[in-house]
Amino acid sequence: VAWKPRKFTAGKGELFAMAAAVMYGIETTNDRVIIQQYDLYPYLALAFWAPAAFTALVYPKAVGGLSHFFQKRVFYRMMILCATYAASAVFFFLALQESRNSSLVAVINIAGVVVTSVLSVVILKERTNIFRKVFGAALAFTGLALLQ
């Protein structure tokens, strides 16, 4: 195995991802505190609608672009996306509510990265570095097994 040292560079997308990761950590901790005290489903409704309303207030031009999503072909895809995203959120919040260890729930939830990597190869035909993706997925699952 030949290792090629490379300089780590982060573009705008990577910086956004790092910021999102920090926000995710804050959000998960905050969610855990809130759903221990309140009913899950009203909280979920608020958690989905409040960011959309806030975005519309801060960036009203975005509301004009919504008409694209109501075209028949796009609308059905969006409904599938919304249903899977909502199911994911319900399962995640139920896990936070039932588990005694929110950090473990968050780590297990990040296993979605493995699923995304596999689906990106299969569905999106993203074949670059396929062996690294497979190795990374296997390593992630090994790490999850060690956490149990």
Side-chain angles (χ1 to χ4, degrees), residues 93-115:
F93 285 123
L94 284 172
L96 273 182
Q97 201 172 43
E98 296 297 321
S99 177
R100 294 182 182 190
N101 189 341
S102 57
S103 59
L104 181 60
V105 170
V107 169
I108 292 170
N109 188 55
I110 292 178
V113 172
V114 175
V115 175

Side-chain angles (χ1 to χ4, degrees), residues 69-146:
F69 296 106
F70 291 102
Q71 295 173 3
K72 189 175 182 178
R73 196 177 116 241
V74 177
F75 182 77
Y76 292 123
R77 289 181 180 175
M78 286 302 298
M79 289 301 100
I80 293 169
L81 171 72
C82 289
T84 56
Y85 193 75
S88 169
V90 168
F91 290 134
F92 178 72
F93 285 123
L94 284 172
L96 273 182
Q97 201 172 43
E98 296 297 321
S99 177
R100 294 182 182 190
N101 189 341
S102 57
S103 59
L104 181 60
V105 170
V107 169
I108 292 170
N109 188 55
I110 292 178
V113 172
V114 175
V115 175
T116 302
S117 296
V118 171
L119 291 177
S120 73
V121 170
V122 174
I123 295 172
L124 302 174
K125 309 292 186 228
E126 295 178 357
R127 307 268 192 235
T128 57
N129 299 321
I130 192 168
F131 295 112
R132 287 184 186 177
K133 289 178 184 177
V134 170
F135 179 72
L139 193 60
F141 275 122
T142 302
L144 285 173
L146 292 174

Side-chain angles (χ1 to χ4, degrees), residues 11-35:
K12 202 174 187 179
E14 289 81 7
L15 293 175
F16 284 146
M18 285 188 262
V22 170
M23 293 294 116
Y24 178 78
I26 294 168
E27 164 201 336
T28 301
T29 305
N30 186 49
D31 289 337
R32 171 72 188 258
V33 170
I34 292 172
I35 63 173

